[in-house]
Amino acid sequence: MFGTGDDKHFVLWIDDDPLVLSTAKRLFRNHNIELITIDNPLGVMDVLAKHNFSVVIADQRMPEKTGIQLLEEIKASFPLITRILLTGFLDHQTIEESVNKANVFRFITKPWNDEELISDINQAVQHHLALVQQDYLRIQVREQNKQLTVLNERLEEIVFERTKSLSESKKEVELRNSQIKNLIFFIQELNKAESIEELLIFFKKEYQSKFNITTLYLLYYSENHKFVLQYFQKNELIEREIDTPVKTRIDIQYGQKEDQEFLARLMGRPVANIIAFPLFKFESENRFTPVIFLEHDLSPTDFTALLDFLTERLQVISLSVDRSLAHRKLRFESQQWEKTFDSMENPIAIIDIDFNILRMNRSFDFFSKVLSVEEQNLIRWSARSGQLQKSNIKKANKIFEVYTYPVKFSGDQHPTNFVNYYVDISEKRELYGKMIQNEKMVALGLLAGNIAHELNNPLTGIRSVSQVLIHEHGKVKKLVEDLQEIDKAALRCQNIISDLLQFSSADEKAEAKPVGLNEIVMKTLPLLKTALRYHNTKTILYQKNILVRIKPHLLQQVIFNLINNACQAMKEPGTVTIRTALKNGTATFSVQDTGPGIDPTIHERIFEAFYTTKPEGEGTGIGLSVCQSIIEKYGGKIAIESVPGKGATFIVMLPVETR
Amino acid sequence: MKILIADDEMLIRRALERIFVSRGHIVQSVEDGVAAVKAWKEFNPDLVILDILMPGMTGIEVLKEMGPKRRAKVALISAYSGHEEVGSYTKLGIETFIQKPFNDIYAVAEQMENL
């Protein structure tokens, strides 16, 4: 280290005057300053190199060079050595020059004071030490600065590197973001797709913009239990049911020959590379995992990208396809239900507690959408009791047996919905009515057969005795009149019995033969002379005789009854129009009157046995039912057309006998 | 002429009896088949008016009893009940079959007288 008191400080004194040098030498004996002197400034650099000098003293006036010049040179090589100039004349120019050029620390003037000299030299040594220290510090600082600079430079590098990787990762993030955005868009679009078709079309748009894929095939097991292959053919989506699918799988498979052959067989053409891409199942209970086949012709790089693309979307597509399939199944099943519902001929409706019709089948459409009081009552009773309610209700001019079933959803205390089921029993009723009527007729027939004999005997007796008495007492006018009334009354009884007997005779296997309708009409008319005498008669016969297969006397009875009825219906003189006609293989005989007509409400009843509108004593209510049973027995029917107030027409229709 | 009337309907018997008696015939009336057979044997009538449905014996049975060699003419009468085969009666060797009810008892009586 430097600056410690023990160290020797080297001082060099250069002067051309040897006396000065020796004097100085003496002065620094026993001193911590080692004074070295030289008398020629030319060798000064060599000397300075030998020792670590602290101070150099140079005489101004020397023959070789001036002290200032020398010091200037020394300053250039050894800047830390403190420089002192020794001079006899100290003028301004010297001072200025020495400070400016050689940066001289002190001036010593000759002759010097010894103490001052030593003090000055000591001060110069101290100055040197300070300079050295300064210099050390400077070097230190410079070194540190250097390090700092290096550090700085390194820092920039690091920062640059960091920023570089940052910007790179930003790019990556952006890329990733855009991928995620794409994916989200993809998911959103897929979610919008309401059908597999829409889904496939969208998917196709997506991959087509990125990859060179020839065709996409989707294979799945459909709601109606068929394997379905959907694919694009010239931008058109084809849906095909196929018989044998490929085996179900779990992993993505690439280049399976089996798949290639499977598709080639179906498409009837060679198929390029195939990647099979099984989807996942989520909601659906489908037993077959749907598979997407992509037919492609991709380079390995593109193929890897495609794999990434697909893998990324696998779950989304799977979910969408699965959902679509589940929806399809749901739709299919609901359609099945609707069809089933609609195909039921009986009207059905689902109704809520406020009598709103929630759903109905097609048959119900014919009904009014407002429930009748009876229907509402059924629902009320059903709501109260929680039980099936049933009633016969007239609706749309028919009679329905209406069943109201309460529907309870789980947790509900009371039914909130009701299923109304309507069974049309009009026909059943009609049939039932007819059956009853037939039963009545059969019963009547049997009854008639049994009582006819029993009644005819006494009636014959009554009439016979009356006739005898009339004969015997012809002169007693009053008695004869009474007896005539008795005879007439008995005759009416006989007629009733004779009518009744028609039932039993109608039961017999009649020997029907083809008879001419016109012919029978003409044969019957003379028998009706009495009945027709107050009325006009119009007879309009079909130009040709129409053959019908029936027992002639029964047909005659029908014609007789109908014309007789027509006459009786007209209280005032009117017109009876009798027609025969041929229409669509049906022979018709009709009797039209100009009487009061028949109320529509009794159209059906007037054929009932014992139903009559005639005053008591004038009709038995058997005539029309006998007519009907006769005509129906021979495959025909009787119809009524009537406008109240404008008369009535009875039309007998019989199948034409074609021979 | 001796006329036997066999009918269970009293009013018919009466009516016919009155007519035939008024015309000078001798009339005997019975109301069942057994009496009819007895009266036929004892009374030996020229004309038998025979109802089919009678208590005891039917008119057909009485007819069989009389046999084919009978002297009397027979008019069979019956109230039609809707079940008879009228044609079959004519094969029984009777002179006529007249169906009840009668519309005109005098016409019937005349027809019988003239057999």
Side-chain angles (χ1 to χ4, degrees):
Chain A
M1 271 313 283
F2 48 82
T4 58
D6 300 331
D7 290 332
K8 284 248 181 220
H9 300 287
F10 288 90
V11 175
L12 180 67
W13 193 315
I14 307 140
D15 199 319
D16 58 338
D17 185 349
L19 187 70
V20 170
L21 290 175
S22 63
T23 310
K25 270 211 166 197
R26 244 190 286 126
L27 195 65
F28 285 100
R29 219 171 273 150
N30 302 322
H31 203 271
N32 68 335
I33 286 171
E34 179 81 28
L35 180 72
I36 294 165
T37 58
I38 52 171
D39 53 5
N40 188 344
L42 296 177
V44 76
M45 289 304 170
D46 297 332
V47 179
L48 283 173
K50 277 180 194 156
H51 299 284
N52 200 1
F53 286 95
S54 300
V55 180
V56 66
I57 302 161
D59 184 35
Q60 170 63 358
R61 273 206 196 168
M62 291 186 289
E64 293 82 11
K65 54 177 78 172
T66 66
I68 291 170
Q69 280 176 328
L70 181 68
L71 288 176
E72 196 183 347
E73 286 170 22
I74 290 168
K75 181 200 162 199
S77 299
F78 304 94
L80 290 181
I81 297 175
T82 310
R83 294 164 297 277
I84 293 174
L85 186 71
L86 187 68
T87 178
F89 315 97
L90 195 63
D91 52 14
H92 271 289
Q93 197 196 340
T94 311
I95 291 170
E96 197 187 300
E97 238 179 84
S98 52
V99 170
N100 287 342
K101 288 183 179 168
N103 205 0
V104 168
F105 174 69
R106 197 82 16 127
F107 300 99
I108 293 168
T109 47
K110 286 178 198 172
W112 65 72
N113 175 297
D114 283 350
E115 275 184 24
E116 276 180 359
L117 177 75
I118 290 166
S119 170
D120 283 342
I121 288 173
N122 271 332
Q123 278 179 24
V125 169
Q126 290 309 313
H127 179 69
H128 164 73
L129 287 173
L131 276 183
V132 169
Q133 200 165 355
Q134 265 183 22
D135 189 52
Y136 174 77
L137 283 173
R138 191 184 54 78
I139 287 168
Q140 280 284 313
V141 168
R142 207 173 55 202
E143 199 59 34
Q144 281 176 351
N145 277 348
K146 233 189 213 166
Q147 279 180 4
L148 268 175
T149 311
V150 168
L151 214 66
N152 268 344
E153 285 170 351
R154 180 81 193 108
L155 202 67
E156 271 174 20
E157 213 172 278
I158 288 169
V159 168
F160 177 73
E161 268 174 23
R162 289 267 165 92
T163 8
K164 196 178 150 196
S165 75
L166 265 178
S167 75
E168 272 174 5
S169 71
K170 194 186 165 203
K171 255 190 219 160
E172 253 174 51
V173 166
E174 275 171 2
L175 183 73
R176 188 66 202 145
N177 271 346
S178 87
Q179 278 177 347
I180 288 171
K181 263 189 211 159
N182 282 343
L183 201 61
I184 289 172
F185 172 73
F186 185 81
I187 293 167
Q188 283 173 340
E189 286 299 309
L190 274 197
N191 274 336
K192 273 189 221 160
E194 285 182 348
S195 62
I196 291 207
E197 288 73 17
E198 279 179 42
L199 191 148
L200 287 178
I201 287 167
F202 170 71
F203 183 47
K204 184 191 179 209
K205 215 166 71 191
E206 273 287 290
Y207 71 70
Q208 257 191 346
S209 63
K210 296 180 177 70
F211 304 101
N212 181 22
I213 287 170
T214 321
T215 308
L216 172 141
Y217 308 86
L218 172 66
L219 176 68
Y220 57 87
Y221 190 65
S222 80
E223 63 284 349
N224 51 351
H225 312 296
K226 300 248 166 62
F227 283 97
V228 172
L229 186 72
Q230 280 191 294
Y231 56 94
F232 289 99
Q233 198 167 59
K234 288 173 187 166
N235 285 325
E236 206 180 317
L237 191 62
I238 312 279
E239 184 175 328
R240 247 171 89 175
E241 280 177 6
I242 60 170
D243 297 332
T244 38
V246 284
K247 65 172 191 295
T248 185
R249 69 198 68 208
I250 318 159
D251 301 314
I252 297 179
Q253 277 168 333
Y254 170 59
Q256 289 287 82
K257 222 176 166 189
E258 189 192 345
D259 294 338
Q260 226 168 341
E261 280 169 0
F262 163 68
L263 289 171
R265 197 171 56 243
L266 280 172
M267 304 307 292
R269 62 166 170 84
V271 162
N273 286 327
I274 289 292
I275 170 167
F277 190 57
L279 304 177
F280 311 134
K281 288 187 284 185
F282 299 92
E283 313 164 25
S284 73
E285 294 155 12
N286 215 319
R287 67 180 166 93
F288 181 79
T289 309
V291 188
I292 285 180
F293 297 102
L294 291 169
E295 189 181 348
H296 68 92
D297 208 354
L298 295 173
S299 69
T301 328
D302 282 348
F303 180 70
T304 316
L306 171 67
L307 265 186
D308 286 347
F309 176 82
L310 290 181
T311 316
E312 215 167 41
R313 284 158 179 76
L314 177 65
Q315 197 152 355
V316 190
I317 297 170
S318 299
L319 201 66
S320 291
V321 168
D322 195 62
R323 198 196 51 210
S324 293
L325 283 177
H327 279 187
R328 266 176 80 131
K329 194 167 180 232
L330 209 67
R331 259 204 315 275
F332 177 76
E333 276 164 5
S334 99
Q335 274 172 0
Q336 291 275 87
W337 262 112
E338 256 166 53
K339 271 188 203 159
T340 312
F341 205 46
D342 274 345
S343 62
M344 297 188 73
E345 276 176 31
N346 293 333
I348 301 174
I350 301 170
I351 298 159
D352 71 10
I353 192 104
D354 299 317
F355 313 125
N356 297 313
I357 296 164
L358 304 179
R359 291 193 76 169
M360 58 187 164
N361 68 351
R362 204 166 288 160
S363 308
F364 193 91
D365 255 355
F366 296 106
F367 286 169
S368 144
K369 303 303 172 286
V370 179
L371 297 186
S372 69
V373 179
E374 291 109 306
E375 287 169 294
Q376 295 189 359
N377 281 337
L378 275 184
I379 287 172
R380 282 196 194 100
W381 294 329
S382 179
R384 221 167 292 159
S385 65
Q387 307 269 320
L388 159 69
Q389 299 292 333
K390 188 168 89 164
S391 177
N392 288 354
I393 292 175
K394 202 160 180 194
K395 214 167 155 63
N397 284 325
K398 284 181 173 176
I399 299 158
F400 288 91
E401 195 157 41
V402 183
Y403 298 80
T404 297
Y405 297 89
V407 181
K408 256 191 233 176
F409 291 109
S410 57
D412 286 338
Q413 280 268 310
H414 300 287
T416 48
N417 283 357
F418 303 88
V419 175
N420 266 21
Y421 180 67
Y422 299 80
V423 182
D424 184 353
I425 53 162
S426 328
E427 207 172 314
K428 210 161 118 188
R429 273 215 155 179
E430 211 174 286
L431 283 176
Y432 182 71
K434 273 201 180 157
M435 196 183 80
I436 294 280
Q437 201 183 319
N438 283 346
E439 289 287 313
K440 266 190 197 169
M441 304 284 256
V442 171
L444 269 178
L446 285 174
L447 183 69
N450 287 331
I451 66 173
H453 177 261
E454 293 308 316
L455 287 178
N456 268 337
N457 258 340
L459 284 173
T460 306
I462 291 165
R463 291 196 66 195
S464 299
V465 174
S466 302
Q467 285 166 11
V468 169
L469 289 173
I470 290 165
H471 188 82
E472 288 177 354
H473 303 280
K475 286 164 199 161
V476 188
K477 201 185 170 198
K478 231 177 168 158
L479 179 63
V480 168
E481 276 172 10
D482 288 347
L483 288 167
Q484 275 169 346
E485 283 309 312
I486 291 171
D487 188 31
K488 269 193 212 163
L491 173 64
R492 270 209 307 278
C493 293
Q494 278 185 355
N495 285 341
I496 291 170
I497 290 160
S498 137
D499 279 347
L500 278 172
L501 281 174
Q502 295 299 334
F503 289 106
S504 45
S505 71
D507 266 345
E508 289 170 21
K509 278 274 164 269
E511 250 180 69
K513 55 180 184 180
V515 291
L517 182 58
N518 290 350
E519 199 182 307
I520 302 283
V521 171
M522 294 315 288
K523 269 190 190 169
T524 312
L525 282 175
L527 305 174
L528 288 152
K529 252 181 194 162
T530 328
L532 286 165
R533 69 185 162 216
Y534 301 115
H535 308 291
N536 294 322
T537 309
K538 273 196 216 165
T539 309
I540 306 163
L541 297 180
Y542 190 68
Q543 67 260 35
K544 283 193 278 185
N545 201 6
I546 312 159
L547 292 180
V548 289
R549 179 171 288 272
I550 191 167
K551 252 188 169 180
H553 78 274
L554 292 179
L555 180 57
Q556 198 167 13
Q557 194 187 342
V558 171
I559 293 168
F560 183 94
N561 271 340
L562 292 179
I563 296 173
N564 198 42
N565 277 349
C567 295
Q568 286 181 347
M570 294 184 289
K571 306 280 178 270
E572 307 289 322
T575 305
V576 179
T577 310
I578 297 151
R579 276 193 190 87
T580 58
L582 180 63
K583 222 181 215 176
N584 302 328
T586 302
T588 63
F589 161 75
S590 64
V591 183
Q592 185 181 6
D593 66 50
T594 54
I598 300 162
D599 193 305
T601 56
I602 62 163
H603 277 192
E604 280 166 31
R605 291 213 66 195
I606 59 171
F607 288 107
E608 270 177 37
F610 300 125
Y611 182 85
T612 181
T613 57
K614 291 173 188 168
E616 213 172 312
E618 279 186 31
T620 56
I622 290 172
L624 270 179
S625 36
V626 170
C627 288
Q628 195 181 39
S629 72
I630 289 170
I631 294 302
E632 284 184 354
K633 188 168 164 177
Y634 292 98
K637 55 181 177 181
I638 301 182
I640 307 170
E641 281 174 8
S642 173
V643 178
K646 291 191 175 176
T649 309
F650 281 77
I651 305 152
V652 174
M653 289 164 270
L654 278 167
V656 168
E657 178 76 7
T658 44
R659 267 201 315 184
Chain B
M1 185 154 64
K2 284 200 281 184
I3 303 173
L4 172 63
I5 304 170
D7 196 320
D8 60 341
E9 181 53 55
M10 186 263 276
L11 287 177
I12 292 176
R13 289 203 305 272
R14 275 196 170 206
L16 285 173
E17 201 178 315
R18 290 268 279 274
I19 295 168
F20 289 134
V21 169
S22 73
R23 295 186 180 193
H25 302 294
I26 303 159
V27 179
Q28 190 173 343
S29 295
V30 293
E31 56 181 328
D32 61 64
V34 180
V37 174
K38 196 179 169 224
W40 169 66
K41 285 176 181 163
E42 290 169 1
F43 179 54
N44 191 21
D46 304 300
L47 173 64
V48 179
I49 298 167
L50 194 56
D51 185 25
I52 293 176
L53 285 175
M54 283 186 298
M57 282 171 90
T58 68
I60 308 297
E61 284 163 343
V62 174
L63 194 61
K64 277 181 187 158
E65 197 65 34
M66 288 161 70
K69 290 176 185 164
R70 60 183 156 79
R71 184 186 70 85
K73 292 175 178 163
V74 173
L76 206 56
I77 56 172
S78 179
Y80 175 60
S81 68
H83 297 293
E84 296 95 334
E85 271 300 325
V86 176
S88 64
Y89 299 139
T90 54
K91 293 170 192 160
L92 294 170
I94 54 170
E95 275 58 38
T96 190
F97 173 79
I98 300 167
Q99 191 177 300
K100 288 192 263 191
F102 309 136
N103 261 324
D104 183 350
I105 191 69
Y106 282 94
V108 172
E110 209 163 307
Q111 189 187 350
M112 288 169 173
E113 266 181 328
N114 297 330
L115 283 174

